[in-house]
Amino acid sequence: MRHLLSPLDLSVEEIDQIIAVAEDIEKNPKKYSHVADGKKIATCFYEPSTRTRLSFEAAMLNLGGSVLGFSDAQSSSASKGESVADTVRVVGCYADIIAMRHPKEGAPMVASMYSPVPIINAGDGGHQHPTQTLTDLLTIHAKKGRLDTLTIGLCGDLKFGRTVHSLITALVRYPNIRFVLISPEELKIPSFVRDDVLRKQNIPFEEVDHLEDVMPTLDILYMTRVQRERFFNEEDYIRLKDRFILDQEKMTYAAKDMLVMHPLPRVNEIAVEVDNDPRAVYFEQAQYGVYARMALIMKLLGLEVPAC
Ligand code: NCD
């Protein structure tokens, strides 16, 4: 049985295969409409979500399967004190696969030790978010035609931003990748990424605190929200939240084919005026999330690509 807890749980070949299936799904959605007939996904979300939960549910429905689950820990038996281990043992009797989001780092890993069915980490605290990464890789591949030879700027909350941690962890396995890490001092990338991933593998990266100077060098600018819910005090959040705001004026420094990505939700970090710039792909990125999750569900359930 396979789980997806970190992007490293899939080999590069498997990720490339998921991207290929996802791109075929985009072109031929009807072909896939009965692939998961009779299968069920449970979405167990102990933290708020719009895109991740709904795109998992849309993905399973598009494949012909069905969905069950909870979107709020308060409406589950967690509010009565039930452990994650007990919950997944039970939910695993009702569903064929479980997507779990949890505020505690490592909770989906604990779930995977007790679950009778595959567990997908749909975001664990400030740690990892591997299905957002599949979405991001698919978006980059669809728009740029490659996952190698890229300079990627990641901007905002690199400390708590789990999408950033997972994306870096996945991209370092492709050749000629360079990162520009743009953040305030307090929100720099944590050492479990800087030391254990970037330095360990000699990946070129620089850490800066200004966006304009580095803009012209980027193939991709990945903006992120300051993760308010992970701050210990509100004053720090208020001081840091609007430190980087991408607007049309800053976009004039960017290459003509630079992509602006964002896992969403956006708060203030991208001005609404940027939405109409053809380089802004964050809403398309959310659509790619459905295709990526359809291909992932097929992979983890061992469902074959139909012939036609
Ligand atoms: C992200 C998350 O939950 O980490 N959202 C998402 O899944 N698309 C990013 C965020 O909440 O800022």
Side-chain angles (χ1 to χ4, degrees), residues 2 42 56 69 99 118 122 128 166 189-190 213 216 225 235 242 253 301:
R2 299 282 302 273
F56 263 117
Q128 298 280 357
S166 287
I189 200 90
D213 324 346
R225 170 180 74 90
E235 275 161 38
D242 293 330
Y253 297 96
L301 291 181

Side-chain angles (χ1 to χ4, degrees), residues 126-128 154 158-159 161-162 164-169 172 179 181 189-201 203 205:
H127 188 216
Q128 298 280 357
L154 297 125
L158 309 187
K159 180 179 181 187
R162 54 195 175 195
V164 168
H165 308 155
S166 287
L167 184 57
I168 293 176
T169 306
V172 296
F179 294 101
L181 306 174
I189 200 90
S191 70
F192 80 86
V193 180
R194 187 191 300 104
D195 298 330
D196 304 349
V197 181
L198 294 168
R199 289 212 173 114
K200 199 169 172 183
Q201 300 182 53
I203 306 297
F205 71 97

Side-chain angles (χ1 to χ4, degrees), residues 4-231:
L4 180 67
L5 305 174
S6 136
L8 299 180
D9 291 333
L10 294 165
S11 67
V12 174
E13 292 70 31
E14 287 174 318
I15 288 186
D16 291 347
Q17 185 216 344
I18 286 173
I19 290 173
V21 172
E23 288 179 344
D24 189 52
I25 290 171
E26 182 186 11
K27 284 194 215 94
N28 306 297
K30 286 218 173 80
K31 188 169 122 183
Y32 292 84
S33 56
H34 292 290
V35 164
D37 277 358
K39 300 286 184 193
K40 296 190 218 69
I41 189 167
T43 50
C44 299
F45 275 53
Y46 296 82
E47 250 196 356
S49 168
T50 298
R51 271 149 295 271
T52 305
R53 186 174 61 83
L54 295 183
S55 66
F56 263 117
E57 298 189 357
M60 191 49 134
L61 294 171
N62 289 347
L63 291 170
S66 16
V67 303
L68 62 159
F70 55 86
S71 56
D72 174 6
Q74 282 313 309
S75 69
S76 79
S77 284
S79 65
K80 302 180 188 168
E82 187 173 49
S83 68
V84 161
D86 285 1
T87 301
V88 294
R89 275 180 174 158
V90 173
V91 175
C93 304
Y94 309 149
D96 301 281
I97 188 162
I98 297 173
M100 174 180 287
R101 169 168 289 190
H102 202 285
K104 280 210 184 104
E105 288 80 5
M109 205 253 290
V110 171
S112 72
M113 291 157 58
Y114 295 92
S115 172
V117 301
I119 295 285
I120 301 172
N121 178 3
D124 63 327
H127 188 216
Q128 298 280 357
H129 193 345
T131 65
Q132 182 64 45
T133 295
L134 292 176
T135 303
D136 299 342
L137 296 178
L138 173 61
T139 307
I140 297 170
H141 191 265
K143 295 280 164 194
K144 288 270 178 204
R146 64 179 196 276
L147 291 173
D148 59 317
T149 320
L150 291 166
T151 298
I152 299 124
L154 297 125
C155 177
D157 187 347
L158 309 187
K159 180 179 181 187
F160 297 118
R162 54 195 175 195
T163 65
V164 168
H165 308 155
S166 287
L167 184 57
I168 293 176
T169 306
L171 275 172
V172 296
R173 297 195 289 178
Y174 292 87
N176 290 321
I177 295 290
R178 217 182 129 251
F179 294 101
V180 183
L181 306 174
I182 309 143
S183 74
E185 183 63 28
E186 295 93 327
L187 299 179
K188 281 167 85 171
I189 200 90
S191 70
F192 80 86
V193 180
R194 187 191 300 104
D195 298 330
D196 304 349
V197 181
L198 294 168
R199 289 212 173 114
K200 199 169 172 183
Q201 300 182 53
N202 282 320
I203 306 297
F205 71 97
E206 55 180 314
E207 297 186 273
V208 300
D209 63 1
H210 272 91
L211 186 52
E212 289 89 333
D213 324 346
V214 295
M215 282 285 269
T217 68
L218 305 178
D219 296 306
I220 294 164
L221 174 59
Y222 192 97
M223 295 295 295
T224 62
R225 170 180 74 90
V226 175
Q227 306 279 298
R228 180 182 202 162
E229 63 275 36
R230 317 249 179 259
F231 276 68

Side-chain angles (χ1 to χ4, degrees), residues 281-298:
V281 298
Y282 30 89
F283 291 113
E284 281 176 84
Q285 193 181 342
Q287 169 70 64
Y288 282 120
V290 178
Y291 307 137
R293 291 182 174 97
M294 287 170 75
L296 174 68
I297 290 170
M298 288 176 61

Side-chain angles (χ1 to χ4, degrees), residues 215-218 249-258 279:
M215 282 285 269
T217 68
L218 305 178
E249 200 271 318
K250 291 201 185 74
M251 285 297 288
T252 61
Y253 297 96
K256 284 200 172 57
D257 60 350
M258 187 193 80
R279 294 168 288 186

